[in-house]
Amino acid sequence: PHYSAGCVVFAVCAVMELLAEPPHVYLLNKHFVRSPIIVEAVANLLQTLIIVGVAHYSSSLIPFIIGAVVYSTLHVLVYWVIYRLKRSGEDQLFYEFSKISVSPDHASLTISFLKQTVLKQVLTMGEDYVMTFFSVVTFAQQGVFSTVSRLAAIVIRVGFRHIEDSYYLFFAQMLRRGLPPDQQGRDALKTCKETLGNLLRFNALFGLVVTVYGLSYARLALLLYGGSGLADSDGPLLLQWHCPYIAVCGINGVSECFYFATMSQMEVESYNLKLLPFSACFLLLSVALSY
């Protein structure tokens, strides 16, 4: 019940959260890195508490609908409140349209990143699209897969995402986009080299820890998380396969945040062309191996 209403509400919430992007980008640009982390943590915590609390009185989609509305509303309001508190007198996010000018280079780079976002969306969510549109697995199997993948994604979303966002800003501020190493500042280049090495080392070690313990305790984790129904299904095997995937994502994410902060527009376009066959092969293999 309430499935149609849930689809509408989640779509509206997605549009609402776009209103938080301008202050979010402003805070990152002004090096207020801690503020977005606090906003995300508080919003997610309240959403979880509301879902758990309302679930005691309703077993339908109502708890998740209410949680989504509260999360999106709080997400937008808190970002704008922090922006109002931290902005300087001359900073403005809105101007008259007649005064807005867009650099052709920036516009071209933005379009390149938009193409890249679409391709990466296919790589990260392609299996969901295949399962939805081609009906290659049952709804029960889709539920198991979605539950396990979301559980594994917690490590990526909570652990790696904020590291990548923060250090993307760091590399973008330290190095000039599109210039070769011999034209960069020596001190900045040395600092970025040491920082990148330490990040790769930390994420690699963290990923190895997750892999070692995840392979051994996958069934126990699912038993505690979803009960025997989830633990006795194909869930433990799926979670075990996700563990090395998490380790690879940790290294890949840091590498990407460095390259995306320093690549020129031509290099981004070249990257997109290389990413295109990978996306196509991934979708084809997802369909072919599902039968």
Side-chain angles (χ1 to χ4, degrees):
H2 309 295
Y3 180 80
S4 299
C7 292
V8 174
V9 169
F10 278 103
V12 172
C13 289
V15 176
M16 282 179 56
E17 291 177 25
L18 291 177
L19 299 176
E21 288 301 314
H24 173 76
V25 174
Y26 172 85
L27 292 173
L28 291 179
N29 190 48
K30 294 297 182 180
H31 295 236
F32 297 120
V33 180
R34 184 180 299 178
S35 298
I37 297 176
I38 295 175
V39 173
E40 295 288 342
V42 172
N44 278 295
L45 178 61
L46 287 179
Q47 180 189 28
T48 303
L49 293 177
I50 289 173
I51 290 175
V52 173
V54 178
H56 286 288
Y57 304 97
S58 175
S59 59
S60 62
L61 293 177
I62 293 296
F64 300 96
I65 293 174
I66 296 176
V69 172
V70 171
Y71 172 85
S72 299
T73 305
L74 186 67
H75 192 259
V76 174
L77 291 178
V78 174
Y79 262 120
W80 280 103
V81 169
I82 295 177
Y83 162 72
R84 295 287 296 179
L85 294 175
K86 293 185 177 293
R87 76 182 181 95
S88 59
E90 298 180 355
D91 290 330
Q92 296 183 16
L93 292 181
F94 298 103
Y95 299 90
E96 296 180 11
F97 284 105
S98 59
K99 297 181 180 179
I100 296 178
S101 61
V102 179
S103 168
D105 293 335
H106 289 169
S108 179
L109 185 62
T110 301
I111 294 173
S112 297
F113 275 119
L114 178 62
K115 297 176 185 176
Q116 180 190 113
T117 301
V118 174
L119 293 175
K120 291 190 68 176
Q121 178 71 11
V122 173
L123 284 174
T124 55
M125 301 292 292
E127 67 276 5
D128 291 338
Y129 299 138
V130 170
M131 287 188 293
T132 301
F133 294 109
F134 292 94
S135 301
V136 293
V137 295
T138 64
F139 285 113
Q141 292 172 324
Q142 288 186 38
V144 172
F145 180 84
S146 297
T147 302
V148 173
S149 61
R150 299 299 182 273
L151 179 62
I154 292 176
V155 178
I156 301 174
R157 187 169 60 249
V158 176
F160 296 146
R161 175 187 168 190
H162 295 298
I163 293 176
E164 295 166 13
D165 290 345
S166 300
Y167 280 96
Y168 173 85
L169 179 64
F170 171 80
F171 292 130
Q173 296 286 342
M174 294 291 293
L175 300 175
R176 299 182 63 185
R177 182 180 294 277
L179 293 182
D182 56 354
Q183 297 182 23
Q184 304 280 0
R186 180 175 297 179
D187 293 338
L189 198 63
K190 181 180 178 181
T191 301
C192 290
K193 178 182 177 182
E194 294 176 353
T195 303
L196 179 61
N198 291 333
L199 284 174
L200 289 173
R201 190 177 300 112
F202 171 79
N203 280 13
L205 291 175
F206 184 80
L208 288 175
V209 171
V210 171
T211 301
V212 170
Y213 285 96
L215 292 175
S216 302
Y217 296 101
R219 188 181 186 281
L220 177 61
L222 292 180
L223 183 63
L224 296 175
Y225 180 75
S228 58
L230 185 60
D232 294 335
S233 64
D234 294 330
L237 180 61
L238 291 172
L239 187 57
Q240 288 174 339
W241 277 102
H242 271 85
C243 291
Y245 170 74
I246 292 173
V248 173
C249 282
I251 299 175
N252 179 72
V254 171
S255 302
E256 281 191 341
C257 86
F258 173 77
Y259 286 121
F260 292 160
T262 57
M263 284 193 301
S264 65
Q265 193 265 332
M266 293 297 296
E267 289 171 332
V268 174
E269 285 289 348
S270 176
Y271 178 85
N272 291 339
L273 291 176
K274 295 175 182 177
L275 197 62
L276 185 60
F278 282 100
S279 302
C281 290
F282 175 72
L283 288 178
L284 291 175
L285 285 174
S286 298
V287 175
L289 297 176
S290 298
Y291 290 101

